[in-house]
Amino acid sequence: MMNLVYQEPDSKHCVLACLATLMNMPMEAVKDDALHLGINYDEGITYWDELRLLQFWGWQNNVVIVSPLTNHLIFGRTYLATVPSLNHVGGMHRIIVKCLPVAGDPGVLFLIHDPNRVGKRYGVDVLVPTWSELMEFVGVFIFPEEVL
């Protein structure tokens, strides 16, 4: 069973919390590894920082970047999605989305883990009802079936 990790209130550590959840690691271990790689997570985590951390953990060959241009959807897979922040105007946020087919329906069910415990949350206050709406977000990483 996956341990869901949440960011601290008033922090900008949503990326670290999502990575900790996906890797089934404690938040402090993710922070330690980031610091080991010279990543100052209090200044923000970049796309390249995420890739460096994933590579450090041995996931470099398992990450496929999905974009609106490719629009590949794989049911049963888990995505690390960048979405507009619901709590900071103009800000961005990371969430985890698992994509499941709906039995007898051409639709898709999204299971969402939003690492934010305070304020508005995806999957609680705002739903992600369609794949096309998910793909309008900045981008996602896709993880193997066994995650979540």
Side-chain angles (χ1 to χ4, degrees):
M1 178 77 180
M2 184 68 55
N3 179 37
L4 300 178
V5 178
Y6 294 88
Q7 67 194 72
E8 298 90 359
D10 300 323
S11 81
K12 295 184 179 180
H13 299 158
C14 58
V15 173
L16 295 179
C18 285
L19 291 173
T21 297
L22 288 169
M23 301 306 294
N24 207 18
M25 295 171 62
M27 179 71 122
E28 288 306 314
V30 173
K31 288 180 176 180
D32 289 345
D33 288 347
L35 290 174
H36 173 77
L37 294 173
I39 298 168
N40 184 346
Y41 51 80
D42 285 328
E43 291 181 3
I45 300 286
T46 68
Y47 165 81
W48 299 112
D49 293 334
E50 286 179 277
L51 288 178
R52 287 175 57 216
L53 281 163
L54 290 167
Q55 182 178 17
F56 183 72
W57 297 321
W59 280 65
Q60 71 272 15
N61 295 322
N62 297 326
V63 177
V64 177
I65 297 172
V66 180
S67 75
L69 299 176
T70 58
N71 200 19
H72 291 273
L73 171 64
I74 302 172
F75 291 124
R77 294 295 177 96
T78 302
Y79 299 83
L80 179 58
T82 302
V83 295
S85 173
L86 299 175
N87 300 298
H88 301 285
V89 176
M92 301 307 290
H93 185 54
R94 279 293 217 194
I95 62 172
I96 299 171
V97 180
K98 182 151 186 152
C99 177
L100 300 172
V102 178
D105 185 328
V108 177
L109 172 66
F110 292 111
L111 300 179
I112 297 172
H113 170 57
D114 186 330
N116 187 15
R117 285 189 195 243
V118 181
K120 293 183 180 178
R121 298 175 58 204
Y122 283 93
V124 177
D125 302 296
V126 175
L127 301 179
V128 182
T130 67
W131 174 245
S132 62
E133 288 177 340
L134 178 64
M135 291 312 304
E136 288 175 9
F137 299 148
V138 169
V140 297
F141 290 129
I142 183 171
F143 289 83
E145 292 180 26
E146 64 272 12
V147 176
L148 290 188

